[in-house]
Amino acid sequence: MASLTVRNLRKNFGTVEVLKGIDLEARAGEFIALVGPSGCGKSTLLAMVAGLETVTSGEIWIGDRMVNSVAPKDRDIAMVFQSYALYPTMTVRENMAFGMESRGIPRAQQAETIARVAAFLQLDQLLNRKPGQLSGGQRQRVAMGRALVRDPELFLFDEPLSNLDAKLRVDMRTEIKKLHQRVGKTTVYVTHDQVEAMTLASRIAVMHLGEVQQFDEPEIIYNRPANIFVAGFMGSPSMNFISAEVTSLEGRPVVSFPISGGVANLPLHGDVAERVGGSRKVVLGIRPEHLSRQSQNTRGKPGIAEMSAPVELVEPTGAETMAVLKFGELEVVGRFTPDEAPKAGENMPLAVDMTRACLFDPGTRRLI
């Protein structure tokens, strides 16, 4: 297995700069995800790693080889596409064997490899079927099987689950994670779905407008996002953003913002006050799950601030309940357990977990 290193990679289509100096490294055996909205450049980056797009400037290294000018077939990679890209007139067995056949691998070795990979992916009963006789999930497993039989140094996945229904996507996410745990190959996975990125990857590169906004472990990206874009993109429902001001109340630093009937003053926790550096305008970021109903468990707990807010809308989802709350003129989303679920029209007593709150600079939009 090999590492992947991308250094100051740039890509122009005419006068349009699509990638603006990308620096990334996937360690040998690591699973990294490239995530971001449509048009952010993630699929272009993957295509450049695969050799399907030329490099305007910068370097791509697979292991100890710079591969900028190396043909795709010589990069020792395997790619799984969004559209599966299976040959419709060939059987599953023939689709999986095609790459080995073109490389002149002996038939006996082909048969042995296909049998092993088919058993691993539970395709052994489907080898004589054609793609049109398979479900979407089965076709995706065939596409993965075709990549696996090559035993490459690097696996590339380009939004492989986007054509599947919601339940099948969850099932296939599990299959891909199991696949990586068993095979242990370096993997780069492109998706616009932040849940896929969070559940699959050991590290995530969040991209926007051709730049990497943050590259880190999922927990760090979720809990300490580098900027407002990352904070808003990662998480569903999205983080709530509140225009506020850091001031002092009774000698304690607080975050203040207007609410119905007055002002909310939420005490800062930990070393945040030192990082803020005195009174200033900020954007307060609070994730929906960090709002809860006041209770005996929250009262007096360090870092928990109390306030109340009217409930405008309630959305039960079974395991949890979403609610839209009014913080003055601003609508804020909260995620609650069924036993603390609010009712529409209620003035809900809230406990705000300020140990998990984020403060952003409203000018630079970066985390303070």
Side-chain angles (χ1 to χ4, degrees):
M1 83 187 65
S3 61
L4 169 69
T5 304
V6 174
R7 296 176 183 162
N8 195 27
L9 196 66
R10 296 178 180 273
K11 177 63 178 179
N12 293 349
F13 289 107
T15 59
V16 179
E17 190 176 27
V18 177
L19 295 179
K20 305 172 183 178
I22 303 294
D23 290 294
L24 284 176
E25 181 177 4
R27 298 183 285 262
E30 188 176 19
F31 192 124
I32 71 167
L34 308 179
V35 64
S38 297
C40 70
K42 57 189 184 297
S43 290
T44 300
L45 173 57
L46 196 75
M48 293 169 74
V49 172
L52 304 177
E53 287 286 355
T54 58
V55 174
T56 300
S57 66
E59 299 176 352
I60 301 172
W61 293 75
I62 297 177
D64 57 1
R65 286 196 308 159
M66 189 171 79
V67 298
N68 287 36
S69 302
V70 176
K73 66 183 180 63
D74 298 323
R75 296 194 182 196
D76 201 8
I77 60 170
M79 192 163 181
V80 179
F81 296 92
Q82 175 182 350
S83 60
Y84 317 136
L86 302 177
Y87 296 104
T89 59
M90 293 183 181
T91 64
V92 169
R93 187 191 310 277
E94 291 166 341
N95 267 281
M96 292 175 67
F98 184 80
M100 293 187 289
E101 188 79 35
S102 63
R103 295 197 307 277
I105 293 175
R107 291 291 179 87
Q109 186 179 340
Q110 290 184 35
E112 180 184 343
T113 303
I114 289 172
R116 172 173 51 82
V117 172
F120 170 63
L121 292 174
Q122 300 178 15
L123 293 170
D124 39 349
Q125 303 301 312
L126 306 174
L127 289 174
N128 293 321
R129 295 190 188 181
K130 293 184 177 179
Q133 299 171 298
L134 304 177
S135 68
Q138 290 169 336
R139 284 195 290 262
Q140 191 56 271
R141 287 208 301 275
V142 174
M144 288 193 290
R146 185 177 56 189
L148 276 172
V149 296
R150 294 196 56 188
D151 192 28
E153 292 284 356
L154 183 65
F155 280 111
L156 306 178
F157 287 84
D158 188 9
E159 303 202 43
L161 308 184
S162 59
N163 290 334
L164 305 180
D165 62 54
K167 182 183 184 306
L168 196 50
R169 289 179 73 155
V170 173
D171 294 342
M172 289 304 301
R173 263 203 328 251
T174 303
E175 293 298 322
I176 291 173
K177 190 149 193 170
K178 287 179 181 176
L179 170 65
H180 182 257
Q181 288 174 345
R182 293 181 190 179
V183 177
K185 296 285 186 172
T186 310
T187 301
V188 182
Y189 188 100
V190 163
T191 180
H192 63 273
D193 187 329
Q194 45 88 19
V195 176
E196 280 181 24
M198 292 285 293
T199 54
L200 287 171
S202 52
R203 285 192 296 166
I204 300 171
V206 184
M207 296 183 63
H208 183 49
L209 299 177
E211 298 178 313
V212 174
Q213 304 291 312
Q214 189 171 3
F215 183 39
D216 218 320
E217 298 173 2
E219 295 81 5
I220 294 175
I221 282 180
Y222 190 77
N223 293 315
R224 300 298 298 167
N227 55 43
I228 288 177
F229 173 80
V230 175
F233 189 82
M234 302 300 291
S236 181
S238 174
M239 179 181 279
N240 299 295
F241 299 109
I242 304 163
S243 295
E245 185 174 1
V246 173
T247 59
S248 179
L249 182 66
E250 298 178 354
R252 295 185 61 191
V254 297
V255 181
S256 299
F257 53 90
I259 57 173
S260 302
V263 175
N265 295 299
L266 308 184
L268 291 176
H269 181 77
D271 62 351
V272 179
E274 294 180 15
R275 296 202 302 272
V276 171
S279 299
R280 61 182 290 184
K281 301 284 187 182
V282 296
V283 175
L284 171 64
I286 302 174
R287 293 210 179 272
E289 62 268 28
H290 299 151
L291 299 173
S292 60
R293 184 182 289 277
Q294 292 178 26
S295 67
Q296 292 297 328
N297 294 329
T298 63
R299 291 190 185 99
K301 188 175 178 181
I304 300 298
E306 296 184 341
M307 60 176 290
S308 61
V311 180
E312 188 169 76
L313 182 69
V314 175
E315 299 176 331
T317 64
E320 56 194 11
T321 297
M322 306 296 176
V324 177
L325 311 165
K326 292 289 284 187
F327 282 21
E329 297 299 315
L330 184 68
E331 291 186 345
V332 169
V333 176
R335 173 189 274 144
F336 303 97
T337 60
D339 60 347
E340 66 174 12
K343 293 181 170 58
E346 172 187 3
N347 193 41
M348 186 178 187
L350 289 172
V352 184
D353 188 352
M354 293 298 289
T355 68
R356 309 296 292 275
C358 296
L359 294 181
F360 301 93
D361 184 290
T364 66
R365 301 175 68 83
R366 297 194 63 80
L367 183 71
I368 297 173

